[in-house]
Amino acid sequence: MQIIEGIYQLLTPFPQFTTEDAKALRRDLEEHPRVTKGLPYVLPYMIKSGGDTILVDCGWNTDSAYLALEEGMKEHGSHPTEIQKLVVTHVHPDHYGMAGRLKQLSSCEIVLHEKDAEVITARYFAPRGLTDDMSKFMEHNGVPALASPGMSMGSMGMLANVSPVPADTQVKGSETFKVGDFDFEIIWTPGHSPGHICLYEPNRKILLTGDHVLPTITPNVSIHTQTHGSPLGDYMRSLEILEDLDVEIVLPAHEFHIKDLKKRLREIEHHHELRLDEMVTCVDSGGSTAWEVAGRVKWATGSLADFEPWMQRAAVGETLAHMEYLFETGRVAKVVRGKHLYWLPV
Ligand SMILES: [Zn+2]
Ligand SMILES: [Zn+2]
């Protein structure tokens, strides 16, 4: 789909969806914007101008995703072999999964933020230690042993659909680069991922938001074995960075167009404020683990005990991100007793 001349929105399906189903849903959402369940597709963007061709994000490394990308590029007179640069908004498999395959085809330059580039080896090339770390991490946060084995396996199954490749260029944010007539600026927006970046074109007032700002979904902001500091604090600050930008076209990596960026930023901030208030009330006066807090808060998808193991893991990670932010802002305290980390009211 042409957004404006030179910027094209492509679509690659998630492994469990067909390209046809994903495309039909995309078209339907264009006419009837609404909340949908799950993520059926990723929206890569091709920027083609003045003889330059770059791609922003790609998709999972499946044959159907590759064919969908090839078909999408062909519709706009291009082909994956012509990609000169692949800018990855963050290293999650739905955005980065096909990077190695595209690199082989086109020898394109792979561009990533340094904070995400540094986890490629631990996450994709040599991921063995991760499950051990994860079980210790789960125990530390009060997850009972019975629930833990399935949870610590986490997302190891997805590795089959990732073709990893190291970054050629690592950015820090605020770098600029040209694609024909377009001048892009890289904006570092950590939170959903430590090295998440958005791309801003100030002359055309276009913002590519990756997973940082999506129309109906609030992106998962989570603490796990590879996070440091306060991801939710980072995320809230990264929302503020976008508030002052002059933007007319907002292009997210999932769902559909965002009409009003400022309104959406306020909605997401409000969502987290309510969530933070709720989590404070779920902390016992004697202290609670993240697992206990996660068992008390309301989840849109049901109760923690009924979740699949990977969803329980995501729920504990999300709870922790909120607890850490509450700690950072002086609303809770924390203490380690024996093997467990407890959160306390202040
Ligand atoms: Zn993501
Ligand atoms: Zn995503």
Side-chain angles (χ1 to χ4, degrees), residues 147-209:
S148 171
M151 288 175 76
S152 61
M153 275 309 287
S155 45
M156 294 292 282
M158 59 149 197
L159 290 175
N161 293 325
V162 177
S163 137
V165 62
D168 298 302
T169 304
Q170 298 190 15
V171 296
K172 292 175 189 294
S174 71
E175 293 88 349
T176 56
F177 64 94
K178 271 190 173 299
V179 188
D181 291 342
F182 296 99
D183 293 299
F184 281 96
E185 185 192 332
I186 292 170
I187 304 177
W188 181 34
T189 49
H192 172 62
S193 177
H196 191 289
I197 51 174
C198 293
L199 296 182
Y200 180 50
E201 213 293 337
N203 306 317
R204 310 307 212 290
K205 300 180 183 168
I206 295 172
L207 182 69
L208 276 68
T209 58

Side-chain angles (χ1 to χ4, degrees), residues 34-36 38-39 90 92 191-193 196 209-222 232 235-236 239 252 254-255 258 263-275 279 298-300 314 318 322:
R34 64 181 187 278
V35 179
T36 54
L39 292 176
H90 62 301
H92 290 169
H192 172 62
S193 177
H196 191 289
T209 58
D211 279 1
H212 182 50
V213 184
L214 296 167
T216 76
I217 299 168
T218 50
N220 178 277
V221 177
S222 194
L232 187 59
Y235 183 71
M236 300 293 261
L239 291 177
H254 298 286
E255 303 193 285
I258 295 166
K263 178 165 165 262
R264 185 62 192 140
L265 293 174
R266 280 193 300 273
E267 283 170 5
I268 298 174
E269 279 160 359
H270 185 60
H271 162 87
H272 285 294
E273 277 154 18
L274 292 179
R275 203 74 179 137
M279 293 224 185
K298 282 204 180 70
W299 299 96
E318 206 176 307
H322 285 82

